Amino acid sequence: MTAGEYQKSSFCNGASSCVEVCHLPNGNVALRDGKEQDGPVLVFTPREWAAFVAGVCDGEFDLASLASGTHGSDGEAPGRPPAKPLAGFGADSAPV
């Protein structure tokens, strides 16, 4: 895998306990643990990454929703407004 420039979310505020994302030259997306930068790396195809980001935006992975199994039938978490894309992490994001 070609090393690229990994990014952390601005919500991390410099913390090392965040995951890091890297857009690879071949279009895939790499994900690693910020605390273990030499550790394992997960690599996703653009389609897999887009599905993951859509799930995050839809609240699919919210702990309360997962624990209760109350995910809405329309794919939205109950009581949530429609999902908005995460800037810089969607399927149509330009490589870093």
Side-chain angles (χ1 to χ4, degrees):
M1 177 172 70
T2 304
E5 185 175 334
Y6 279 84
Q7 297 177 327
K8 290 183 186 181
S9 168
S10 59
F11 289 101
C12 290
N13 293 323
S16 64
S17 61
C18 288
V19 295
E20 298 177 342
V21 176
C22 178
H23 292 272
L24 301 173
N26 65 359
N28 289 343
V29 178
L31 188 71
R32 71 180 182 188
D33 184 341
K35 296 184 308 284
E36 298 182 34
Q37 295 180 350
D38 292 330
V41 174
L42 300 174
V43 178
F44 300 92
T45 65
R47 177 178 264 190
E48 291 168 332
W49 185 251
F52 172 71
V53 170
V56 170
C57 290
D58 288 343
E60 184 176 337
F61 307 112
D62 289 354
L63 293 178
S65 179
L66 289 172
S68 66
T70 57
H71 214 55
S73 61
D74 61 355
E76 297 293 331
R80 271 188 189 262
K84 296 177 184 169
L86 297 174
F89 292 106
D92 58 352
S93 297
V96 177

